Amino acid sequence: MNEYDSNRIYDLVSTIGFTKTKIKNEANCFILNTCHIREKATEKVYDEIGRVKKDFKNLKKPLVIISGCVAQAESEEMMKREPYIDMVIGPQSYHKINDLILNYQRKKERFNETEFDVIKKFDELQKVSNSQSKISSYLTIQEGCDKFCHFCVVPYTRGPEYSRPIKQIIDEANILVENGAKEIILLGQNVNAYNFYEKNKNYRLSSIIRELNDIKKLKRIRFTTSHPKDMTEDLINCYKDCKKLMPFLHLPIQSGSNHILKSMNRKHDKEYYISVIEKLKKINREIKISSDFIVGYPGESKNDFMDTVKLIEKVGFINSYSFIFSPRPGTPASDKKLNGTTENLQRLKEIQRILENFQIKNNEKYLNQFCEVLIENKVNSGEKFFGRTRYMTPVIFESEKCNLGEIVDVKITSFNQKNLFGIHKTNTYKAA
Ligand code: SAM
Ligand code: SF4
């Protein structure tokens, strides 16, 4: 979501004359768009400011703006601790950035703007076209969260759940497609909690997917991140008949232990999670799943951890993220007694080894097979191409002739844990 936000911030500031530069010392403004989901985020911000200070020691001081969730969570503290920061802007206030910059240029007053003004934000953003012209583009449809998992800072930094009006979303999707997008990834902290009412009609994520499925030039649809509780029947049914919806779902469970899930306030148990996956696979046998796992949550016993390992082995996730629990200030889990660091690290290594094995085994299946790849970029100074399979796996391949934005059949000739490598020849292969 920060990538989407950073692009939109750029769309805004470009209307008052800013352009991007790759030459750091040439910049007269730095905007650090920050994430607060795990520890060290704040320290990373101060480290980056330290680097800017050093680079600009003998130059005119640039305008330094901190945006995103660290800004939201630590605004006053940041302004006090680092006088080099000129402005702090929360993730729901960045539509005001131009006024704040112009005001700063006039008055030289430091500013802290961390209101939750999300409706206004998207109304304002709608006035500035989304200029992203990437083959695979992000589109935020929902923000914030009302679920309050005990470890998570999102409900405090992004605020309550908000769903954008469906018309705004479809208009933005059409602009992205006109700009060259072939794939749209719908975003939200809880994207499948999308819920919008207008004229007595209720629109859900499934309504958006069905509308996008009808956009002619769009080839692929994805969404992230989903909560198991919000995998409703209408959404599951999209996997039956929306051909452009990719058969790959990121569905975080966090832990395979019901005791830990309860203590995390996840509002689902592992049986429920497995029943959702079974429903999905019944509707579409091709569906594969990835997840997020937190290890070392306060009170996680060896047995709890083993329950997570068993769940991973049962489901066979093709790609997942795993983290050691990181206490976030202000969340209910932050003052619980922490598990031992060495033990946590061991568990993380163990879980990552198992997850990586599943990833490797999944990649191995493609060897000498053909994969449908949406081409996103050129790599190696234009000699090779980069794209992704229907399951998001990166593919680097050679081709005699192909164009960015095309879907081609690539024969896989080798692989590693994260990537597939292959070759594409025109009119020779058929995707398996
Ligand atoms: N809304 C999604 C869900 O409920 O499954 C997750 C979104 S959260 C922004 C992204 C991931 O960060 C979570 O799935 C979780 O694994 C991880 N995460 C969040 N807070 C964390 C914490 N305090 N420590 C470690 N990992 C954390
Ligand atoms: Fe955070 Fe996701 Fe839980 Fe919301 S549902 S509090 S975003 S982990």
Side-chain angles (χ1 to χ4, degrees):
M1 189 169 280
N2 267 12
E3 191 176 324
Y4 175 87
D5 288 344
S6 299
N7 284 323
R8 299 302 274 143
I9 290 173
Y10 177 69
D11 288 337
L12 289 166
V13 296
S14 63
T15 66
I16 56 164
F18 285 91
T19 55
K20 288 177 191 171
T21 176
K22 285 188 176 158
I23 306 164
K24 198 172 175 188
N25 295 1
E26 193 183 80
N28 61 358
C29 175
F30 280 84
I31 304 172
L32 302 183
N33 195 19
T34 58
C35 174
H36 201 238
I37 199 79
R38 280 175 294 277
E39 68 195 324
K40 299 200 183 111
T42 318
E43 288 316 309
K44 277 190 203 158
V45 175
Y46 292 117
D47 290 351
E48 186 58 31
I49 293 173
R51 282 191 282 276
V52 176
K53 264 181 176 171
K54 213 167 145 199
D55 289 345
F56 282 80
K57 202 170 167 206
N58 300 315
L59 299 169
K60 186 167 182 261
K61 180 190 174 309
L63 182 61
V64 174
I65 302 173
I66 311 300
S67 61
C69 291
V70 176
Q72 185 69 41
E74 315 237 352
S75 56
E76 279 172 24
E77 170 62 25
M78 294 192 109
M79 294 292 265
K80 264 191 227 142
R81 177 167 157 186
E82 184 46 271
Y84 207 72
I85 298 174
D86 300 305
M87 241 179 262
V88 167
I89 306 178
Q92 307 306 16
S93 313
Y94 70 73
H95 55 289
K96 300 178 191 163
I97 194 164
N98 286 351
D99 285 345
L100 295 173
I101 291 177
L102 296 173
N103 192 45
Y104 180 85
Q105 285 170 341
R106 274 193 305 271
K107 298 191 184 158
K108 295 280 173 276
E109 264 171 30
R110 297 171 80 220
F111 214 89
N112 172 355
E113 178 59 70
T114 47
E115 289 285 297
F116 282 129
D117 212 351
V118 69
I119 301 178
K120 192 89 194 305
K121 178 175 88 172
F122 283 111
D123 284 348
E124 288 299 314
L125 283 178
Q126 210 195 356
K127 296 177 190 161
V128 185
S129 183
N130 185 334
S131 71
Q132 247 196 104
S133 57
K134 283 172 78 176
I135 307 281
S136 173
S137 291
Y138 289 128
L139 202 176
T140 294
I141 64 165
Q142 179 279 340
E143 277 204 45
C145 183
D146 294 341
K147 294 208 166 46
F148 291 91
C149 298
H150 284 174
F151 53 82
C152 184
V153 79
V154 166
Y156 311 96
T157 54
R158 290 267 171 178
E161 262 173 25
Y162 168 75
S163 297
R164 292 177 71 186
I166 187 154
K167 185 176 177 314
Q168 250 187 38
I169 295 167
I170 304 304
D171 286 351
E172 194 169 326
N174 277 311
I175 292 172
L176 289 171
V177 173
E178 284 315 309
N179 286 346
K182 301 290 177 198
E183 170 176 282
I184 288 184
I185 307 180
L186 301 169
L187 296 180
Q189 272 85 31
N190 260 320
V191 71
N192 56 346
Y194 180 87
N195 200 10
F196 178 71
Y197 282 90
E198 194 173 57
K199 295 183 187 147
N200 289 331
K201 218 177 151 195
N202 180 212
Y203 297 92
R204 304 280 314 189
L205 173 58
S206 57
S207 330
I208 300 175
I209 293 171
R210 288 185 184 280
E211 293 247 8
L212 295 193
N213 202 52
D214 289 340
I215 300 181
K216 229 174 155 195
K217 286 194 264 175
L218 185 67
K219 296 181 178 171
R220 289 181 170 182
I221 305 164
R222 304 182 191 274
F223 57 89
T224 197
T225 299
S226 298
H227 191 283
K229 263 296 194 205
D230 294 313
M231 286 307 299
T232 47
E233 298 288 330
D234 56 315
L235 180 56
I236 293 177
N237 275 328
C238 287
Y239 285 97
K240 188 160 66 184
D241 45 13
C242 292
K243 292 275 172 288
K244 295 179 183 175
L245 180 62
M246 291 296 103
F248 173 58
L249 177 67
H250 184 62
L251 193 62
I253 182 165
Q254 316 298 351
S255 167
S257 151
N258 282 344
H259 154 241
I260 293 296
L261 288 173
K262 192 154 191 254
S263 154
M264 285 175 165
N265 193 30
R266 279 295 286 181
K267 304 183 175 78
H268 62 80
D269 56 21
K270 75 172 168 218
E271 288 76 16
Y272 177 82
Y273 181 86
I274 290 169
S275 75
V276 170
I277 293 181
E278 281 169 354
K279 271 190 208 163
L280 283 161
K281 291 205 165 168
K282 208 168 157 195
I283 253 192
N284 182 337
R285 278 173 40 225
E286 290 191 348
I287 290 185
K288 296 186 186 182
I289 312 288
S290 69
S291 187
D292 289 345
F293 297 94
I294 296 179
V295 299
Y297 189 75
E300 184 191 68
S301 67
K302 179 85 183 142
N303 280 347
D304 293 321
F305 176 69
M306 287 317 293
D307 282 349
T308 303
V309 171
K310 279 185 216 150
L311 178 103
I312 294 173
E313 278 161 357
K314 183 172 170 69
V315 177
F317 300 94
I318 62 162
N319 170 25
S320 291
Y321 301 95
S322 44
F323 320 98
I324 292 181
F325 167 70
S326 163
R328 307 317 292 129
T331 60
S334 63
D335 42 21
K336 291 195 179 187
K337 189 172 173 286
L338 291 176
N339 285 15
T341 314
T342 323
E343 197 180 36
N344 286 348
L345 262 172
Q346 268 168 358
R347 287 181 188 177
L348 185 70
K349 271 195 193 151
E350 174 66 1
I351 209 176
Q352 290 188 335
R353 188 186 60 75
I354 300 169
L355 290 167
E356 282 169 14
N357 272 343
F358 274 105
Q359 207 176 357
I360 290 171
K361 270 195 202 141
N362 182 60
N363 284 354
E364 194 177 11
K365 286 186 194 147
Y366 293 99
L367 197 59
N368 298 320
Q369 302 289 316
F370 300 94
C371 268
E372 253 184 46
V373 176
L374 172 63
I375 311 173
E376 293 185 29
N377 287 308
K378 285 185 175 178
V379 289
N380 289 3
S381 324
E383 276 174 28
K384 291 191 178 170
F385 292 87
F386 169 88
R388 287 179 190 272
T389 67
R390 286 152 65 78
Y391 299 98
M392 282 290 265
T393 310
V395 185
I396 295 160
F397 63 98
E398 290 168 26
S399 173
E400 291 166 343
K401 186 172 177 273
C402 67
N403 298 308
L404 302 189
E406 251 177 12
I407 292 184
V408 292
D409 296 339
V410 175
K411 183 175 185 185
I412 302 306
T413 52
S414 63
F415 66 94
N416 61 22
Q417 181 215 324
K418 292 201 170 125
N419 304 295
L420 299 172
F421 303 93
I423 184 156
H424 159 250
K425 285 188 184 165
T426 33
N427 298 327
T428 318
Y429 302 128
K430 179 102 192 70

